[in-house]
């Protein structure tokens, strides 16, 4: 493959877990809840998915396990922040710290275990096109699922009644409550769907992307996914774009190596994190612009009166 | 049925009790976890809650581990009080360790003990620099400090790795990623002979006293607290949110950097990629469990240090992974957040049948 085509292909592949998690977090935030637990949830799902993949050899069961673990942990966050009214930042942080510890603990016997790689789909004819054919049309199915999901979430949020209700709950929980919508249950559902997507993202990392289990293997992707929702100003298509951009930045180190550029690997490993900071600063520079699409009740505790 | 009912005023009793309730719940979960692993729960719990307290050596190790936790926790508590969500103490600690090591590597055995002063100052400045980046990004660009401070942790870790695998690697270190051992002149004076406890612990306690005074007795401390609790009132009173942001971040960065410096020249005596087993992250829990209160942080710092020692003991004696430490820490924070509901709410038991009776 040509080196640019290779860079594009690996950007899509590396961007997919970011896209999945960030789309999930977008749904959370549209309902008015910030989930800082993404990193811990992804780690827990990564080990659960890996263990299931090792035990069954079935990648779809692994994704299922990741989704279940993600949504169960999200439900735990939901009970704390929605019914007990705990601080959303602190609760999410607790999940990230807890998930990092517990996943390392549960995965102690899975370190160094090998997983047979799962095949990619080759879209007939298209993947045979010269130059970019293989780069675009010869990926794991989940890469295309993430793209479809972005479109689906956009349609759901802006073209369906349920999506309208979800956005209303995020904009003004008081009004939604007054209209008779169960705000807390809707938020819990949004958290669990978002958690499932974070879980699938975690399982993708350990089952498809690497594929292996290492302690702390998400390496901050949950946090980058959180930054991506802001970067995308809460729009699914921009989440996708941002995810592939960051996937590309992650992959630049291999590109540099391919070109024979001598830069220490640790300095190249900094790139995605530095890119996140720079992009976040550029996007946030104009507060009014951010606020246009930001759910108005984001991060605030809502207590229904009577 | 259990029902939550808002209290007219926060309960002072519960404010003190809820960390204890959270600790009890964590112990209970811990016991269940050991049982699930087929270990005797009492033996397991003893490793975490009894062994670290045994004897002078045990206690000195506890103080050693509590030092960075207290220092980082103090700074984070100031941030959280001012509603600045700095969660990058780990990165600020690493930069402190890097800066301090840069100075320590210049020392020779002929250097006077006073080299420790520039070493510790370098640590403080290194941590401040890393926190200042967060402050600039928030102040000038409105960038969310949670994400920027955390991203800087990964940048700091990569910078540390680069140095110890690259330019600072000890040429006589059998290719291990670590610097040469620092000269003897950089050794911190011991508090108790024949233990590893050094003046770092005393410095941490001094910092606790200074922070208590700053928060309760100075106008700037008052401004921070008001700004965090009622931003509108603070603006009305003419308190500068920018000044608060910079104050708490520089304070927090400086204390974390000091913690990093004390680790490098204290128990380690060289710079390695593993300067910190997550002290900066555990300090987030220290700050919350200590109720963002300086004295409370001493207790919660010691408690969290017990978890570190317990985790090491569980690893060596029961063959359980070190990650047990993180599980206990995370559990404690979860339980505390849940238990804090009792401060503002009371639980009422309502019988189902009673409504119809």
């Amino acid at each position: 493959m040509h080196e640019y085509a290779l860079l594009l292909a690996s950007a899509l592949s590396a961007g997919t877990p970011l896209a999945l998690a960030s789309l999930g977090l977008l749904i959370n935030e549209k309902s008015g809840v910030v989930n800082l637990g993404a990193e811990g949830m992804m780690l827990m799902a990564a080990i659960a998915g890996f263990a299931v993949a090792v035990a069954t050899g079935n990648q779809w069961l692994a994704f299922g396990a990741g989704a279940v673990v993600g949504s169960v942990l999200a439900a735990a966050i939901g009970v704390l922040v929605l019914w007990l009214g705990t601080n959303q930042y602190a609760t999410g942080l607790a999940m990230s710290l807890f998930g990092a510890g517990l996943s390392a603990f549960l995965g102690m016997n899975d370190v160094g275990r090998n997983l047979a790689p799962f095949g990619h789909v080759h879209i007939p004819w298209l993947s045979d096109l010269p130059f970019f054919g293989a780069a675009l049309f010869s990926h794991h199915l989940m890469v295309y699922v993430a793209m479809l999901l972005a479109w689906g979430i956009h349609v759901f949020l802006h073209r369906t009644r349920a999506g309208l209700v979800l956005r209303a709950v995020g904009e003004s929980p008081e009004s939604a409550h007054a209209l008779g919508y169960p705000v807390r249950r809707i938020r819990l559902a949004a958290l669990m769907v978002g958690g499932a997507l974070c879980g699938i993202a975690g399982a993708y990392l350990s089952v498809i992307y690497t594929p292996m289990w290492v302690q702390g293997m998400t390496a901050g992707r949950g946090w980058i996914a959180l930054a991506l929702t802001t970067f995308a100003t809460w729009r699914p298509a921009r989440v996708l774009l941002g995810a592939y951009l960051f996937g590309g930045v992650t992959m630049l180190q291999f590109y540099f190596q391919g070109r024979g550029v001598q830069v220490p690997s640790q300095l190249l490993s900094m790139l995605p994190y530095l890119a996140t900071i720079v992009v976040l600063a550029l996007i946030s520079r104009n507060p009014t612009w951010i606020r246009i699409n930001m759910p108005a009740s984001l991060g605030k505790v809502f207590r229904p009166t009577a | 049925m259990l029902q939550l009912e808002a209290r007219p005023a926060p309960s002072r009793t519960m404010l003190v009790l809820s960390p204890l309730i959270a600790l009890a719940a964590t112990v209970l979960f811990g016991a269940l976890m050991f049982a699930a692993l087929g270990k005797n729960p009492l033996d397991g719990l003893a490793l975490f809650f009894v062994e670290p307290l045994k004897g002078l050596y045990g206690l000195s190790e506890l103080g050693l581990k509590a030092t960075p936790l207290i220092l980082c926790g103090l700074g984070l508590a100031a941030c959280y009080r001012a509603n600045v969500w700095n969660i990058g103490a780990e990165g600020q600690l690493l930069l402190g360790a890097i800066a301090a090591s840069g100075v320590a590597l210049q020392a020779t055995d002929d250097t006077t003990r006073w080299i420790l002063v520039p070493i510790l100052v370098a640590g403080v400045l290194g941590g401040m620099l890393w926190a200042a980046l967060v402050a600039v990004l928030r102040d000038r660009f409105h960038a969310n400090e949670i994400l920027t401070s955390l991203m800087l942790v990964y940048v700091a870790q990569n910078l540390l790795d680069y140095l110890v695998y690259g330019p600072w690697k000890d040429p006589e270190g059998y290719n291990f990623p670590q610097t040469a051992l620092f000269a003897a002149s950089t050794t911190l004076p011991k508090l108790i002979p024949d233990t590893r406890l050094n003046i770092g612990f005393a410095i941490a306690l001094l910092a606790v006293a200074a922070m208590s005074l700053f928060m309760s007795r100075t106008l700037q401390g008052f401004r921070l607290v008001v700004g965090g609790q009622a931003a509108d009132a603070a603006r009305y009173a003419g308190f500068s949110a920018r000044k608060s942001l910079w104050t708490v971040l520089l304070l927090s960065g400086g204390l974390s950097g000091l913690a990093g410096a004390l680790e490098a020249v204290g128990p380690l005596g060289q710079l390695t990629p593993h300067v910190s087993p997550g002290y900066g992250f555990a300090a987030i829990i220290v700050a919350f469990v200590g109720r963002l209160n300086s004295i409370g942080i001493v207790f919660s710092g010691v408690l969290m240090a017990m978890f570190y020692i317990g985790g090491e003991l569980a690893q060596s004696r029961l063959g359980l992974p070190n990650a047990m430490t993180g599980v206990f820490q995370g559990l404690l924070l979860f339980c505390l957040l849940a238990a804090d509901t009792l401060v503002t709410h009371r639980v009422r038991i309502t019988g189902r049948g009673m409504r119809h009776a």
Side-chain angles (χ1 to χ4, degrees):
Chain A
M1 234 191 278
H2 187 275
E3 104 191 12
Y4 290 118
L6 200 64
L7 186 62
L8 177 68
S10 48
L12 290 185
S13 170
T16 293
L18 290 174
L20 288 166
S22 192
L23 287 169
L25 294 169
L26 182 136
I27 296 174
N28 290 351
E29 297 191 2
K30 273 289 174 189
S31 83
V33 184
V34 176
N35 181 358
L36 295 191
E39 179 81 0
M41 288 160 50
M42 281 175 74
L43 278 168
M44 288 291 288
I47 184 57
F50 187 80
V52 168
V54 167
T56 65
N58 184 325
Q59 55 173 322
W60 305 110
L61 285 177
F63 282 124
V68 169
V69 166
S71 60
V72 167
L73 295 177
I77 294 181
V79 169
L80 283 166
V81 302
L82 299 174
W83 274 272
L84 300 186
T86 61
N87 181 303
Q88 293 183 11
Y89 296 135
T91 311
L93 274 176
M95 179 58 79
S96 277
L97 296 167
F98 176 72
L102 191 60
S103 63
F105 177 66
L106 295 174
M108 58 183 166
N109 295 324
D110 286 308
V111 177
R113 207 169 263 182
N114 285 317
L115 197 56
F118 294 100
H120 288 188
V121 288
H122 295 276
I123 299 173
W125 193 70
L126 285 176
S127 60
D128 299 329
L129 284 174
F131 202 56
F132 283 124
L136 290 175
F137 302 109
S138 175
H139 281 284
H140 188 266
L141 192 59
M142 205 48 93
V143 172
Y144 306 108
V145 170
M147 295 178 186
L148 281 176
L149 210 58
W151 176 75
I153 290 171
H154 172 78
V155 170
F156 168 77
L157 285 174
H158 298 280
R159 301 272 183 278
T160 69
R161 195 175 165 75
L164 182 71
V165 172
L166 183 77
R167 283 188 295 142
V169 162
E171 289 298 332
S172 173
E174 291 79 14
S175 319
H177 177 69
L179 288 170
Y181 291 110
V183 171
R184 293 193 289 199
R185 271 185 240 166
I186 290 170
R187 286 185 166 177
L188 180 67
L191 265 173
M192 290 179 71
V193 171
L197 285 179
C198 288
I200 292 172
Y204 178 91
L205 281 174
S206 62
V207 176
I208 306 296
Y209 187 70
T210 16
M212 59 173 174
W213 165 255
V214 184
Q215 183 176 341
M217 63 178 293
T218 51
R221 286 186 180 84
W223 300 102
I224 294 180
L226 266 163
L228 274 177
T229 57
T230 310
F231 167 75
T233 59
W234 296 271
R235 287 171 171 267
R238 291 187 198 157
V239 164
L240 221 48
L241 185 76
Y244 298 141
L245 207 66
F246 276 91
V249 173
T250 315
M251 286 298 136
L252 270 182
Q253 42 186 315
F254 300 105
Y255 174 77
F256 281 130
Q257 275 168 14
R259 308 214 72 174
V261 180
Q262 291 299 317
V263 185
S265 66
Q266 296 90 355
L267 298 187
L268 288 172
S269 305
M270 282 181 195
L271 282 177
Y273 309 110
L274 288 174
T276 307
I277 294 172
V278 170
V279 167
L280 206 60
L282 291 178
I283 296 287
S284 314
R285 203 178 28 166
N286 185 346
T288 44
W289 194 56
I290 281 283
R291 265 184 226 127
I292 293 172
N293 288 308
M294 191 170 99
S297 74
L298 193 60
K300 294 183 184 137
V301 174
F302 168 71
R303 287 191 188 286
T305 43
Chain B
M1 277 267 302
L2 290 176
Q3 236 180 8
L4 283 176
E5 190 183 75
R7 289 179 196 273
S11 156
R12 283 180 174 277
T13 332
M14 274 302 162
L15 210 58
V16 178
L17 272 185
S18 94
L20 299 177
I21 295 173
L23 182 60
T26 307
V27 170
L28 191 72
F29 275 121
L32 289 174
M33 210 161 62
F34 283 119
L37 291 165
K39 314 276 178 197
N40 181 340
L42 286 181
D43 291 350
L45 290 177
L47 291 182
F48 279 80
F49 297 100
V50 182
E51 290 280 320
L53 298 171
K54 273 191 185 161
L56 186 65
Y57 186 76
L59 290 174
S60 68
E61 285 291 296
L62 201 58
L64 188 75
K65 288 238 173 353
T67 301
L69 292 166
I70 291 172
L71 284 170
C72 295
L74 265 184
L76 290 179
C79 287
Y80 301 156
R81 281 189 153 210
N83 223 357
V84 173
W85 289 84
N86 173 19
I87 57 173
E90 180 79 2
Q92 292 145 23
L93 182 150
L94 293 180
L95 249 288
I98 289 172
S101 300
V103 178
L105 283 171
Q106 313 304 319
T108 61
D109 287 334
D110 303 328
T111 319
T112 67
R113 295 299 290 270
W114 289 103
I115 185 80
L116 276 171
V117 175
I119 286 174
L120 296 184
V121 169
V124 170
L125 291 178
M128 276 184 168
L129 168 76
W130 223 233
L133 291 175
V134 178
V136 170
L137 288 162
R138 163 95 186 258
D139 189 14
R140 297 271 167 210
F141 299 95
H142 312 282
N144 180 313
E145 75 276 16
I146 298 178
L147 296 170
T148 54
S149 64
L150 195 89
M151 290 295 125
L152 284 170
V153 175
Y154 292 98
V155 177
Q157 184 66 54
N158 275 306
L159 183 66
L160 171 61
D161 286 351
Y162 163 68
L163 289 170
V164 294
Y165 280 92
W168 285 6
K169 189 157 89 176
D170 181 7
E172 289 153 33
Y174 303 100
N175 221 17
F176 278 110
Q178 58 196 25
T179 65
L181 280 171
F182 301 146
S185 54
T186 68
T187 315
L188 287 170
K190 293 276 187 320
L191 278 186
I192 305 172
D194 299 325
T195 70
R196 300 201 297 164
L197 192 69
N198 56 51
I199 58 160
F201 186 62
I203 294 175
L205 293 183
L206 272 177
V208 168
M211 186 66 96
S212 290
L213 289 175
F214 174 69
M215 279 298 188
S216 62
R217 295 271 180 273
T218 68
L219 185 58
Q220 183 56 30
F222 177 68
R223 285 177 172 168
L224 293 180
V225 177
V226 174
Q229 284 177 348
D232 291 336
R235 211 172 303 128
Y236 189 68
F239 299 170
S240 160
R242 283 187 63 194
K243 201 173 163 194
S244 289
L245 175 80
W246 278 93
T247 309
V248 289
L249 276 171
L250 289 181
L251 251 178
S252 175
L255 287 168
S256 301
L258 179 62
L262 289 169
E263 281 302 298
V265 290
L268 294 179
Q270 68 186 144
L271 192 61
T272 80
H274 313 288
V275 176
S276 162
Y279 286 137
F281 291 117
I284 298 172
I285 306 176
V286 169
F288 279 112
V289 175
R291 311 243 71 125
L292 309 185
N293 169 299
S294 309
I295 309 295
I297 283 167
V298 177
F299 288 103
S300 62
V302 170
L303 180 66
M304 220 60 62
M306 278 169 70
F307 289 170
Y308 271 111
I309 295 174
E312 284 167 12
L313 290 171
Q315 186 176 34
S316 62
R317 300 217 193 140
L318 300 180
L320 293 172
N322 219 341
M324 288 287 282
T325 304
V327 178
F328 267 103
Q329 290 172 343
L331 261 179
L332 181 66
L333 184 50
F334 266 132
C335 294
L336 178 81
L337 291 168
D340 269 357
T341 308
L342 296 173
V343 176
T344 49
H345 288 75
R346 71 174 112 236
V347 180
R348 237 184 26 173
I349 301 160
T350 50
R352 263 180 187 218
M354 275 168 32
R355 230 179 297 162
H356 302 290

